[in-house]
Amino acid sequence: MKNRVLGILVTVLIMVSLAGCGTQAKATDDEVVDGETIIVAEEDTENEAIIEEEEITETEVIEEPQEEATYTEYELFYMRDSLDMTDATEMDMNALSVDGNTYTLNKSINIYAPTVGALMSYTKPNIEVYVNSCNEEWYCLRFDVDGDEKFVLAKADDFIAATGIEPKEEIAVTADDVKQVFTELVTKLEIEYELLDSPSGDMEYIEFSIPKDCENLEDWIGQMYISNEMSHYATYCIVLEDKDYGDGYLNFKFYYKNLKELPQ
């Protein structure tokens, strides 16, 4: 009896020792084998999820090959057979001011379609090009293609770098500039005249326009004056109109009266 009690006490001490080891098992099923309870541990689902994630491969994005651009060769440039609209941007051609000069392109530059600004081709190097108009961002070039005029755009930075010219400074013609140049012109022609500050009701007028950034003001005014035979009159008045059509021009009314006696 004494030995039996001692055996039970030893068994209890062993079970208490095992319970104090800090090891925990989460039971999912209890099985009884030969009268003893066996604890079945839950599978480590968290580790399985990590393994599954590692086994998943990312789907590769396969880019479709882009069709290579083809070009048609002309005398001064190469023309794409289809426009590249990637960086196309709508632009106002009326924002360009008249230039009218010829420049030498020392190297090839890209050229773009008017209005939409889409890449359309590139020039050959060491060629002469006529600039129809320009501003701080774009130059409008004119080419002769099989007897037809073709207008294209070049970025100002590219054009200036290829020609070596100085960037154009913003020039703003005023009504006072026009009056001053007119006075100098008729004085040089030794014509007697009177220039009024405002028109009178008995004066007739013609309308003329001048580029806002005109660099040869005397030529523009001289052409207007001579072509309309204004030298036949003695009294004038020049008035700047408020109308601005957004085309880069200043619009004037040139009033006149007092027809001179013409020599017989």
Side-chain angles (χ1 to χ4, degrees):
M1 182 69 178
K2 185 176 183 179
N3 290 336
R4 183 177 178 184
V5 171
L6 180 61
I8 294 172
L9 180 60
V10 171
T11 302
V12 171
L13 290 174
I14 292 173
M15 292 179 63
V16 170
S17 175
L18 289 175
C21 291
T23 302
Q24 295 181 356
K26 185 182 288 185
T28 55
D29 295 304
D30 292 341
E31 296 182 4
V32 179
V33 179
D34 296 334
E36 294 184 5
T37 301
I38 300 176
I39 299 174
V40 180
E42 182 184 37
E43 295 182 358
D44 193 344
T45 57
E46 183 177 350
N47 290 336
E48 285 186 358
I50 294 175
I51 294 173
E52 289 179 0
E53 287 183 4
E54 291 177 352
E55 292 177 351
I56 297 174
T57 58
E58 295 183 0
T59 304
E60 295 183 0
V61 178
I62 301 176
E63 295 184 0
E64 295 183 1
Q66 296 181 353
E67 185 177 350
E68 186 175 352
T70 58
Y71 294 82
T72 300
E73 181 178 3
Y74 292 90
E75 181 182 0
L76 300 178
F77 58 89
Y78 295 89
M79 180 67 67
R80 283 178 64 107
D81 295 327
S82 61
L83 289 179
D84 180 0
M85 302 297 291
T86 304
D87 298 319
T89 176
E90 186 176 351
M91 61 167 299
D92 181 10
M93 294 296 293
N94 291 327
L96 304 179
S97 301
V98 175
D99 184 281
N101 295 300
T102 300
Y103 303 89
T104 300
L105 280 178
N106 299 311
K107 60 182 180 180
S108 174
I109 61 172
N110 288 334
I111 49 181
Y112 302 80
T115 306
V116 295
L119 180 64
M120 63 186 302
S121 58
Y122 61 95
T123 70
K124 294 181 178 180
N126 303 313
I127 61 172
E128 299 292 314
V129 293
Y130 176 82
V131 175
N132 183 70
S133 54
C134 64
N135 63 12
E136 294 179 349
E137 296 182 357
W138 295 97
Y139 276 67
C140 179
L141 316 182
R142 186 186 72 194
F143 290 108
D144 184 7
V145 181
D146 299 330
D148 295 329
E149 290 183 341
K150 179 176 287 294
F151 293 92
V152 299
L153 296 174
K155 292 184 176 180
D157 290 343
D158 295 343
F159 186 85
I160 291 169
T163 57
I165 63 174
E166 293 293 329
K168 287 186 174 293
E169 296 182 0
E170 189 69 23
I171 301 174
V173 175
T174 65
D176 289 338
D177 294 334
V178 174
K179 292 177 182 179
Q180 180 180 344
V181 171
F182 173 79
T183 299
E184 293 172 354
L185 176 65
V186 294
T187 300
K188 186 186 300 184
L189 295 174
E190 297 182 351
I191 297 173
E192 293 183 3
Y193 74 99
E194 179 183 14
L195 184 62
L196 304 178
D197 291 331
S198 58
S200 59
D202 58 345
M203 300 182 79
E204 299 181 76
Y205 68 86
I206 59 173
E207 294 181 288
F208 70 99
S209 299
I210 295 177
K212 292 179 180 179
D213 61 350
C214 183
E215 296 180 354
N216 51 348
L217 201 53
E218 184 173 343
D219 292 344
W220 279 78
I221 295 175
Q223 182 178 0
M224 178 277 299
Y225 183 78
I226 295 172
S227 62
N228 290 283
E229 299 183 339
M230 289 294 102
S231 59
H232 295 171
Y233 298 87
T235 306
Y236 309 105
C237 181
I238 301 174
V239 177
L240 173 63
E241 293 284 275
D242 292 334
K243 300 175 184 177
D244 188 342
Y245 298 104
D247 56 0
Y249 284 81
L250 296 174
N251 303 293
F252 292 88
K253 282 186 177 180
F254 186 83
Y255 292 85
Y256 58 91
K257 70 174 182 178
N258 295 336
L259 182 64
K260 297 178 182 177
E261 291 185 7
L262 299 178
Q264 299 295 329

